[in-house]
Amino acid sequence: KMVDPTLAEMGKNLNEAMKMLEDNQRKVEEENEKKYIRKDIPGPLQGSGQDMVSILQLVQNLMHGEEEEETTQAYRLQNVGEQGHMALLGHSLAAYISVLDRERLRKLTTRILSDTTLWLCRLFRYENGSAYYHEDDREGLLKVCRLVIHTRYEDYTVEGFNVLYAKQPVIYISSAARTGLGQALCNQLGLPLSCMCRVPCNTMFGSQHQMDVALLDRLIKDDVESGKLPLLLVANAGTPGAGHTDKLGRLKELCEQYNMWLHVEGVNLATLALGYVSPSILASTKCDSMTLTLGSWLGLPAVPAVTLYRHEDPSLSLAAGLTSSQPVEKLRALPLWLSLQYLGHNGIVDRIKHASQLSQRLLENLKNLDFIKTSVEDELNSPVVVFKFFQEYSSRDQTSHAAQATTIQHPIISNERHIYDTLNQWLGEQLAQMIPASGVDVVELEDEGTCVRFSPLMTSAVLGTEIQDVDQLVDCLKMKIPVLTSTLQLREEFEQEVRRTVGLLYIEDLSWPGLGVVRYNYHSDGKNDDKQEKELEKINTELLKKLNELESDLTFSLGPEFGGQRNCVYIGMVTEDLDVSELVETIAATGREIEENSRLLENMTEVVRKGIQEAQLQLQKANEERLLEEGLLRQIPVVGSVLNWFSPFQASPKGRTFNLTAGSLESTESTYVSKAQGTGTTPPPTPTSTLAKQRLPGQKIFKRSLRSSDAFSETSSISHCDDLEKMDQRPSTLSSGQEQGPLETGKAEEQKEVTQAVISNMEDTQSDKSPHDCIKVEEHESQR
């Protein structure tokens, strides 16, 4: 039974707070509210104060107010678990314990620190070690560097930087180390960047992610000869990118030879807790210091990182900051102390073993997949699995590819790698989106390029990754491989088809994971650049809209939000049954149709206005001729009526009709003779494309049917050939307006007939009126 009521109340409050924060199920009405509400805006501190429930509710709103449903952050919060609650309870206990009297605080912190250090040293096979607990995972290495400086420079405490100036220290870091690690160390230590030496990795023998030991030996000899002091070497037991381990045994021998300090870090250090440890990782137990990140390995939130080290002089450790005389500083180990006791030795080993089994399960499945290339250090035991999509060339392709590479080697290699990097970037994003519990991510490696990384030691404890998640990841990968191979094979064919097609421009964008990028070229007629750019944007935007309206499996878009080409159509990933020629022809035909419609609408107003003006002039001239034929007496109001009654004047009505297709005026005499309005020479409907084909029921557009299929009988094949012959016998000379489709042609004909009827009615009205009235009608029509 718990004696201290304060501890009982603390545990109860923590459970209630965690339950409230983890309950992120909100009502639909709250989700439909505005994104930025009044209480989210910072305001003054309330004078009366608030209760605990209101404050926790505010924290919950700040945590989940601007997130979408089922986000990664919310998912990780739900998988904290009981061991995570123990770690969070440690922070609350640390605040409570800090108010104890000094003697009781000293005894309690000493016990917590000694227990935690002893457990970690035994768990990770690090004998006679001390521990430093820190929040930033780089802080432990920083303190170790200060310890080595104090050790190697005896007068450093008195003279400071003067002793460093006399003999410059050198810190060696692998080129595969974390980005910015060397610069951060130099900034914190107050050393120039010349004190940092980056050691290249192997290029000829061994892993390309391991430090080149022979080259390191030569670099150390050169520094010694130039009067510098080799100080410390940072090695990797699992590089940040590929998870490879340096040759720690040889590096330790080299450090002992030159009296250097060896520090090791990396995710593979977690496997030291297992029953079987590979010899390359087991050599890390002989190093001078190592950094452990237990929070990610065991799924513990807000626990510190630990740096284990061996040193005999406590005063130098105190001067370097590795130990502290303040009891409160020792309370950093309290969350880890509680969590380790809750998990126990077996629980810790089981979690690390489970992560290793996940990586092995994925590695075994990847060996059976084509077009997948792995980059692992040990095929039998590799905690980190890095793989990428890569299509090997066949014998014939290799010959042609080698012939091209001899002439233009660098562009081909550069473009090929860029394309594979783009496809693997897309593959990694798709896998992470479809199987979020797997924890895969995309990593950029110097030699391999863009790869997909699976590091369960860093993610499985937090995400709760299981064996079935790995199996789903493999199944998803099997579905994506055919899409990647088809897209890669059809990219070149698509480029050739677009370059052969008039009106289309192929845009080379190696960073686009898809079939390719195309732009419809707008034929400008002496327009300025701004107007031409607007027309180009309008046509390609309308083209994208019409392509998306088609019933196809392809995705058409404007490309990436940042860094993409403007006024282009981006085509996404495709399958092997894509008909590239039909796709390109459809894009070109749709673009021409949009351009012609745009030009027709643009020129319609000008053409009709000029036609009406010309018709008015000809009608006015015809009225003057009619006045001369009738005579002056017939124009007098009373006399003209009597004269017309005795001797009617027979005159054929004269009018004009405007042909929109030809853009010219024609006489209406044939209309009055035949008592019907003629449509002129109407162009025949536009025939369908020569590549248009009969589709099977349910077959979508741009899909290629199997040529060797037995689905058609001989009779159907013969009838199909007859239909093709009939199509070939159609007249091939078409007018300029034939490029419109049947629907657009019909609409144009209706517009022509309406326009002709309007002009003819206007002419009949004008022929029955006096010249004065005719002029009024003409003015009224011109205003219309």
Side-chain angles (χ1 to χ4, degrees):
K1 185 177 180 180
M2 186 173 293
V3 180
D4 195 338
T6 306
L7 296 179
E9 185 69 18
M10 186 182 303
K12 180 182 178 181
N13 293 337
L14 178 65
N15 291 332
E16 293 179 356
M18 290 301 302
K19 186 179 298 183
M20 182 178 297
L21 293 177
E22 290 178 353
D23 185 16
N24 59 351
Q25 300 295 333
R26 293 169 294 172
K27 298 180 180 180
V28 179
E29 293 80 9
E30 296 178 354
E31 295 177 355
N32 295 332
E33 292 178 356
K34 294 182 179 180
K35 185 175 182 181
Y36 298 100
I37 55 180
R38 179 63 186 172
K39 60 183 179 181
D40 292 335
I41 301 177
L45 181 65
Q46 297 184 10
S48 59
Q50 302 183 48
D51 56 358
M52 181 178 179
V53 177
S54 301
I55 297 175
L56 290 178
Q57 186 65 38
L58 176 61
V59 174
Q60 179 183 353
N61 294 335
L62 295 176
M63 289 171 61
H64 305 289
E66 300 180 3
E67 293 180 0
E68 300 178 354
E69 296 182 358
E70 298 180 359
T71 56
T72 305
Q73 290 79 1
Y75 184 78
R76 291 191 176 186
L77 183 61
Q78 293 176 1
N79 286 273
V80 168
E82 291 294 332
Q83 74 280 358
H85 291 181
M86 295 300 298
L88 299 178
L89 179 61
H91 291 274
S92 301
L93 285 176
Y96 172 69
I97 293 175
S98 62
V99 300
L100 298 177
D101 60 89
R102 188 174 183 84
E103 184 63 22
R104 296 176 63 183
L105 178 61
R106 185 187 61 80
K107 292 181 179 180
L108 182 58
T109 54
T110 302
R111 172 65 184 273
I112 293 174
L113 191 64
S114 60
D115 285 349
T116 310
T117 303
L118 177 63
W119 297 338
L120 292 177
C121 289
R122 289 183 177 179
L123 188 64
F124 293 98
R125 311 181 185 217
Y126 198 80
E127 300 178 356
N128 301 325
S130 302
Y132 172 66
Y133 303 89
H134 47 92
E135 302 297 333
D136 189 356
D137 54 358
R138 298 176 299 183
E139 187 178 355
L141 177 58
L142 175 64
K143 301 294 186 181
V144 167
C145 290
R146 289 178 177 173
L147 174 63
V148 180
I149 291 177
H150 279 281
T151 304
R152 299 297 302 276
Y153 294 92
E154 297 179 357
D155 298 334
Y156 179 75
T157 306
V158 179
E159 298 185 7
F161 69 92
N162 290 326
V163 295
L164 302 180
Y165 180 77
K167 199 169 187 178
Q168 180 177 340
V170 182
I171 301 175
Y172 302 90
I173 293 181
S174 171
S175 59
R178 288 180 291 173
T179 304
L181 178 61
Q183 184 176 1
L185 290 177
C186 290
N187 293 338
Q188 294 296 326
L189 295 173
L191 298 176
L193 292 179
S194 58
C195 294
M196 190 62 54
C197 179
R198 295 182 62 87
V199 183
C201 295
N202 297 324
T203 56
M204 299 295 294
F205 305 100
S207 172
Q208 296 181 349
H209 301 278
Q210 291 180 347
M211 191 183 305
D212 192 340
V213 181
L215 182 58
L216 173 63
D217 190 8
R218 291 197 298 268
L219 292 175
I220 296 176
K221 289 181 180 179
D222 295 340
D223 291 335
V224 172
E225 293 176 357
S226 60
K228 297 181 180 180
L229 178 64
L231 194 67
L232 181 139
L233 172 63
V234 182
N236 292 303
T239 55
H244 290 201
T245 302
D246 291 327
K247 299 176 181 179
L248 300 179
R250 295 185 57 188
L251 293 178
K252 179 58 179 176
E253 296 175 357
L254 197 63
C255 290
E256 291 178 351
Q257 178 182 352
Y258 292 99
N259 194 19
M260 295 172 55
W261 185 284
L262 177 61
H263 179 82
V264 181
E265 60 181 18
V267 66
N268 293 347
L269 292 175
T271 59
L272 289 172
L274 300 179
Y276 171 77
V277 185
S278 63
S280 60
I281 300 177
L282 188 60
S284 62
T285 58
K286 304 300 181 182
C287 65
D288 298 301
S289 61
M290 64 169 64
T291 298
L292 309 176
T293 55
L294 299 173
S296 57
W297 298 349
L298 304 178
L300 303 176
V303 297
V306 184
T307 296
L308 302 179
Y309 65 97
R310 296 189 185 97
H311 200 266
E312 298 177 355
D313 193 346
S315 61
L316 295 181
S317 300
L318 180 62
L322 287 171
T323 58
S324 175
S325 59
Q326 299 295 328
V328 179
E329 295 291 333
K330 300 179 182 180
L331 289 177
R332 290 180 181 176
L334 181 58
L336 193 57
W337 183 71
L338 295 175
S339 300
L340 292 179
Q341 291 186 89
Y342 182 84
L343 290 174
H345 183 276
N346 295 334
I348 297 173
V349 174
D350 290 342
R351 291 197 170 218
I352 298 176
K353 183 185 298 183
H354 176 68
S356 301
Q357 291 174 353
L358 293 176
S359 60
Q360 291 306 113
R361 181 65 171 264
L362 178 62
L363 186 59
E364 293 174 359
N365 290 324
L366 291 180
K367 294 178 182 178
N368 301 325
L369 296 181
D370 296 332
F371 309 115
I372 293 297
K373 183 179 179 181
T374 59
S375 176
V376 293
E377 182 182 7
D378 187 0
E379 297 290 342
L380 299 178
N381 187 13
S382 179
V384 181
V385 179
V386 176
F387 62 93
K388 62 179 294 186
F389 166 76
F390 184 77
Q391 188 173 4
E392 298 286 350
Y393 289 96
S394 61
S395 58
R396 180 181 304 177
D397 295 336
Q398 286 180 354
T399 305
S400 60
H401 183 76
Q404 295 177 358
T406 55
T407 56
I408 46 176
Q409 181 177 3
H410 295 288
I412 287 182
I413 295 177
S414 177
N415 292 346
E416 179 182 341
R417 172 165 177 172
H418 203 161
I419 292 174
Y420 276 109
D421 289 347
T422 302
L423 295 180
N424 283 285
Q425 177 79 23
W426 175 86
L427 177 61
E429 294 174 354
Q430 290 292 313
L431 294 178
Q433 181 180 1
M434 298 179 68
I435 316 293
S438 63
V440 295
D441 60 346
V442 180
V443 61
E444 296 285 342
L445 301 180
E446 183 177 356
D447 298 314
E448 290 83 355
T450 304
C451 299
V452 183
R453 178 178 57 186
F454 178 66
S455 181
L457 279 172
M458 302 296 294
T459 59
S460 63
V462 176
L463 300 178
T465 311
E466 299 294 339
I467 294 294
Q468 54 267 24
D469 296 324
V470 177
D471 296 338
Q472 293 179 6
L473 180 67
V474 176
D475 295 338
C476 180
L477 188 59
K478 291 180 180 178
M479 293 188 299
K480 297 300 180 181
I481 289 177
V483 178
L484 291 169
T485 55
S486 302
T487 303
L488 187 61
Q489 292 174 358
L490 295 177
R491 281 176 70 103
E492 184 177 356
E493 181 181 352
F494 175 76
E495 178 181 356
Q496 295 176 357
E497 287 289 341
V498 171
R499 295 188 185 279
R500 287 196 298 261
T501 305
V502 179
L504 297 182
L505 178 63
Y506 180 80
I507 305 298
E508 186 176 9
D509 191 350
L510 300 179
S511 61
W512 172 248
L515 184 63
V517 186
V518 64
R519 174 187 295 163
Y520 183 81
N521 269 341
Y522 174 70
H523 302 286
S524 60
D525 298 332
K527 298 181 180 180
N528 54 21
D529 295 339
D530 295 338
K531 189 173 183 180
Q532 181 180 354
E533 187 72 17
K534 292 181 180 179
E535 291 293 336
L536 183 65
E537 180 180 359
K538 180 180 178 181
I539 291 177
N540 284 277
T541 303
E542 185 67 20
L543 175 61
L544 176 63
K545 180 180 178 182
K546 287 186 175 295
L547 290 176
N548 284 323
E549 293 175 355
L550 300 176
E551 296 181 358
S552 66
D553 294 333
L554 300 180
T555 57
F556 303 93
S557 64
L558 292 175
E561 184 178 0
F562 303 102
Q565 297 286 339
R566 295 182 57 189
N567 304 329
C568 296
V569 176
Y570 285 75
I571 306 174
M573 308 295 286
V574 298
T575 54
E576 60 180 355
D577 56 351
L578 175 68
D579 193 337
V580 178
S581 57
E582 182 183 0
L583 171 63
V584 174
E585 183 182 359
T586 302
I587 295 175
T590 307
R592 287 194 296 267
E593 175 186 340
I594 296 173
E595 181 183 1
E596 291 173 359
N597 292 339
S598 177
R599 288 188 174 184
L600 179 62
L601 294 176
E602 182 181 4
N603 299 331
M604 182 67 71
T605 304
E606 185 68 19
V607 172
V608 172
R609 185 181 65 83
K610 292 182 179 180
I612 291 177
Q613 290 178 356
E614 186 178 354
Q616 289 175 348
L617 294 176
Q618 294 186 10
L619 290 177
Q620 182 178 1
K621 184 178 180 180
N623 287 333
E624 294 176 355
E625 294 177 356
R626 185 172 61 85
L627 290 176
L628 294 178
E629 293 179 1
E630 293 179 356
L632 182 60
L633 294 177
R634 294 182 182 274
Q635 309 305 322
I636 301 175
V638 179
V639 178
S641 300
V642 175
L643 184 59
N644 288 333
W645 183 72
F646 281 106
S647 176
F649 180 78
Q650 299 293 335
S652 60
K654 296 181 179 180
R656 297 292 183 272
T657 178
F658 184 65
N659 192 343
L660 292 177
T661 303
S664 60
L665 291 173
E666 299 176 357
S667 177
T668 58
E669 295 180 359
S670 60
T671 303
Y672 293 100
V673 172
S674 61
K675 303 300 183 181
Q677 184 175 0
T679 59
T681 58
T682 303
T686 304
T688 57
S689 172
T690 57
L691 294 180
K693 54 186 178 182
Q694 296 180 354
R695 302 189 180 280
L696 299 176
Q699 182 180 1
K700 294 187 177 182
I701 193 173
F702 308 139
K703 293 296 183 181
R704 207 171 36 215
S705 59
L706 298 178
R707 298 180 179 178
S708 59
S709 176
D710 297 334
F712 298 98
S713 62
E714 296 180 359
T715 306
S716 62
S717 301
I718 296 175
S719 62
H720 181 66
C721 296
D722 295 339
D723 294 338
L724 293 178
E725 292 178 357
K726 292 179 181 179
M727 293 177 60
D728 295 338
Q729 293 175 359
R730 292 181 181 179
S732 59
T733 56
L734 305 177
S735 62
S736 60
Q738 275 184 304
E739 292 183 3
Q740 299 177 353
L743 181 60
E744 288 76 5
T745 305
K747 291 182 180 179
E749 293 177 31
E750 293 177 2
Q751 293 176 358
K752 297 173 187 176
E753 293 176 0
V754 172
T755 307
Q756 292 171 357
V758 171
I759 297 178
S760 299
N761 292 336
M762 179 185 68
E763 294 166 355
D764 295 342
T765 306
Q766 291 177 350
S767 62
D768 296 334
K769 293 184 179 181
S770 62
H772 181 69
D773 296 334
C774 182
I775 295 175
K776 291 182 179 181
V777 172
E778 292 172 358
E779 292 177 355
H780 179 67
E781 292 298 327
S782 63
Q783 293 176 359
R784 292 178 59 188

